[in-house]
Amino acid sequence: TITSKAGYETYRRSVCLIMLKAINDVYPGETVEKVKIEFSISQGFYCTVRDMKVDDDFIKRVESRMDEIVKEDIPIYKTSYALEDAMKLFRERNMKDKERLFKYRRASRVNIYSIGDYKDYFYGYMAQATGRITRYKLYRYGDGFVVQMPTRRAPDEVPPFEAKDKLFATMCQADEWGLRLGIDTVGALNDRICEGSFQQIMLVQEAIQEGRIAEIVSDIEKHDGVKFVMIAGPSSSGKTTFSYRLSVQLEAHGFKPHPIGLDNYYKNREDAPRDEKGELNFECLEALDVEGFNSDMKKLLAGERVEIPTFNFKTGKREYHGNFLKLDEDDILVIEGIHGLNEKMSHALPKECKYKIYICPLTALNIDEHNRIATTDIRLIRRIVRDNRTRGTKAEGTLAMWDSVRRGEEDYIFPFQESADAYYNSAIIYELAVLKQFAEPLLFDIEKSSPHYQEAKRLLKFLEYFLGVSSEGIPNNSILREFVGGSLFNV
């Protein structure tokens, strides 16, 4: 069902196949080859059509044809093609992105999905027939459109489209960077690796990221009176490394930065809230001593000397070790934690004293033009690698807790992302080629009897698309070092 992860992704994938079939029917010729499923926004996917104006007539005609295809309840077939035949099929249809992707495929056969005479390649399962897909909605947005779909929590309805203009602008900027580098699909990345251009890609990507940090610091300078830089983002976004790199740039601009983790304001474990299952809930705002944090920050703002606590995760208690702090004219606090953007977390502090930053790896890289790479998958693979390196946690353990982590993000982080003063995109265009070597052995370790075996198998298939590269040569201040190790920062 849609409430399961596999069922949810199958539904969304099937909507895309039906949508592409509808576009192919309404605009025969090469139009569907120009459609690109770009990235996730609101509860759907943002799509563009090269060299074509997406207007109300386009939306009306495509959505109407989708309704007809669903009503006809056409079977969706999966057919196994020899690799060369699949490459020929997409070469003839001018789908060079798919041909380029298959060039690096080790398997000798490829599964192609079809609705009637329309054929396409998709990474993952499809519904059995078009009649199973009954809820979707198309909206014009930007230069393209959004295909909106139900959620796992509310599978029986399509939520209204919510424009996320700051997120959208950041994703469009990432797309521009990808096109500028000539790397917008996995096949293009693999081509560049084969050409021996990896070192150059790495240096340019790091320069782009450092340039963006410098832009944010310049913007902070323009906001008079900022004393609290609040950083928040979902799991495995690289918040810690970013906060260190931001601090370096702040110092280069004349500030005296002091990093503080909101985790240090966790309530003692005996006072921590529990979820509906009776388990400790460290994701909710109530897990933090909000009033204690506000009291300390107000004292600092008033020029008082304050002892900052440290939370001991082994004992589950807050401790004090003489970490005293007093703010002078050039001092600025760099505060990192999942509730950093929530106004309730810092309710006692004047708004003009706060500058909020949202960080997330918003990749512009797609498998091909009809198969996007989910930001969630990047973060999950990052976390699998880091959890094993820093905590000795097996991949199975990370997968077991991932749903809970995702629920916490949807409740406590994503609703506040548009309130940020700045977005920082921590995606590294080549990172999956590096993470592959670290993640694959951990995923192969999961037994068939495990409830997480299918997810591990899916991730392994996903990583097969990438040519692997060594982590050697990656700068020791790179966000990627937070996950694979070797960082000069304490991460």
Side-chain angles (χ1 to χ4, degrees), residues 379-396:
R379 294 194 292 106
L380 175 55
I381 291 168
R382 281 181 172 188
R383 180 148 180 172
I384 286 169
V385 172
R386 186 182 61 190
D387 280 1
N388 182 260
R389 179 181 66 82
T390 61
R391 303 175 184 174
T393 305
K394 291 191 173 186
E396 187 171 19

Side-chain angles (χ1 to χ4, degrees), residues 441-461:
L442 304 176
L443 292 166
F444 274 120
D445 188 50
I446 296 178
E447 301 288 343
K448 281 189 175 182
S449 57
S450 167
H452 306 290
Y453 175 75
Q454 287 299 328
E455 179 67 353
K457 185 179 175 182
R458 182 188 72 82
L459 291 171
L460 284 166
K461 182 183 177 184

Side-chain angles (χ1 to χ4, degrees), residues 205-276:
Q205 175 71 89
E206 293 297 334
I208 289 171
Q209 292 214 332
E210 195 63 35
R212 178 59 183 143
I213 295 173
E215 286 176 3
I216 291 173
V217 172
S218 294
D219 194 45
I220 291 172
E221 285 185 304
K222 295 173 185 175
H223 289 69
D224 291 335
V226 171
K227 284 294 182 183
F228 308 98
V229 176
M230 316 287 287
I231 303 168
S235 174
S236 303
S237 291
K239 294 185 288 294
T240 306
T241 298
F242 170 72
S243 66
Y244 280 118
R245 286 178 66 168
L246 181 75
S247 295
V248 170
Q249 282 283 356
L250 284 166
E251 194 162 354
H253 283 70
F255 292 96
K256 293 179 182 177
H258 302 277
I260 291 180
L262 285 178
D263 287 1
N264 289 322
Y265 283 89
Y266 270 127
K267 293 177 180 176
N268 291 336
R269 200 156 291 162
E270 64 265 23
D271 301 321
R274 295 182 179 270
D275 60 20
E276 64 276 4

Side-chain angles (χ1 to χ4, degrees), residues 423-440:
Y423 266 53
Y424 182 76
N425 185 356
S426 66
I428 299 170
I429 207 158
Y430 61 83
E431 67 181 282
L432 288 166
V434 175
L435 290 166
K436 174 186 173 88
Q437 283 74 247
F438 296 89
E440 282 183 335

Side-chain angles (χ1 to χ4, degrees), residues 73-319:
D73 196 19
I74 306 167
I76 299 176
Y77 288 105
K78 180 171 74 172
T79 307
S80 178
Y81 280 66
L83 184 61
E84 288 299 323
D85 291 339
M87 291 178 72
K88 180 183 177 184
L89 171 69
F90 293 117
R91 187 184 310 121
E92 290 172 349
R93 293 182 54 189
N94 201 33
M95 290 185 173
K96 295 178 181 178
D97 55 312
K98 296 182 190 294
E99 183 187 2
R100 179 187 270 180
L101 179 71
F102 293 155
K103 175 184 173 183
Y104 299 98
R105 190 176 176 90
R106 293 185 179 89
S108 60
R109 302 195 70 81
V110 176
N111 291 323
I112 306 295
Y113 287 102
S114 62
I115 300 175
D117 59 354
Y118 179 74
K119 298 179 176 63
D120 208 337
Y121 175 75
F122 273 87
Y123 153 61
Y125 300 115
M126 288 287 174
Q128 300 94 325
T130 60
R132 308 291 175 95
I133 309 300
T134 57
R135 297 175 181 87
Y136 49 82
K137 182 72 178 172
L138 269 58
Y139 296 89
R140 280 181 60 195
Y141 189 58
D143 292 329
F145 65 97
V146 170
V147 53
Q148 184 85 334
M149 292 169 269
T151 66
R152 287 178 65 181
R153 290 185 172 185
D156 296 325
E157 60 185 39
V158 179
F161 171 67
E162 293 182 22
K164 305 278 187 181
D165 293 340
K166 292 180 181 178
L167 174 64
F168 180 69
T170 304
M171 291 302 307
C172 288
Q173 185 181 53
D175 276 352
E176 288 174 14
W177 287 343
L179 291 170
R180 199 180 308 156
L181 291 170
I183 305 171
D184 59 342
T185 64
V186 174
L189 174 63
N190 290 340
D191 281 351
R192 295 292 296 276
I193 290 171
C194 286
E195 292 165 5
S197 303
F198 176 69
Q199 196 74 17
Q200 183 66 14
I201 294 167
M202 182 186 68
L203 291 171
V204 172
Q205 175 71 89
E206 293 297 334
I208 289 171
Q209 292 214 332
E210 195 63 35
R212 178 59 183 143
I213 295 173
E215 286 176 3
I216 291 173
V217 172
S218 294
D219 194 45
I220 291 172
E221 285 185 304
K222 295 173 185 175
H223 289 69
D224 291 335
V226 171
K227 284 294 182 183
F228 308 98
V229 176
M230 316 287 287
I231 303 168
S235 174
S236 303
S237 291
K239 294 185 288 294
T240 306
T241 298
F242 170 72
S243 66
Y244 280 118
R245 286 178 66 168
L246 181 75
S247 295
V248 170
Q249 282 283 356
L250 284 166
E251 194 162 354
H253 283 70
F255 292 96
K256 293 179 182 177
H258 302 277
I260 291 180
L262 285 178
D263 287 1
N264 289 322
Y265 283 89
Y266 270 127
K267 293 177 180 176
N268 291 336
R269 200 156 291 162
E270 64 265 23
D271 301 321
R274 295 182 179 270
D275 60 20
E276 64 276 4
K277 296 180 181 178
E279 297 175 357
L280 289 168
N281 184 353
F282 296 111
E283 307 293 326
C284 65
L285 185 66
E286 291 73 23
L288 294 168
D289 180 6
V290 175
E291 296 310 318
F293 169 79
N294 278 273
S295 175
D296 283 355
M297 297 305 109
K298 280 179 67 180
K299 289 176 183 176
L300 286 170
L301 196 58
E304 297 181 34
R305 188 167 176 260
V306 174
E307 185 177 9
I308 304 299
T310 299
F311 190 81
N312 187 325
F313 284 90
K314 289 184 179 179
T315 63
K317 292 185 180 296
R318 217 180 317 159
E319 299 172 350

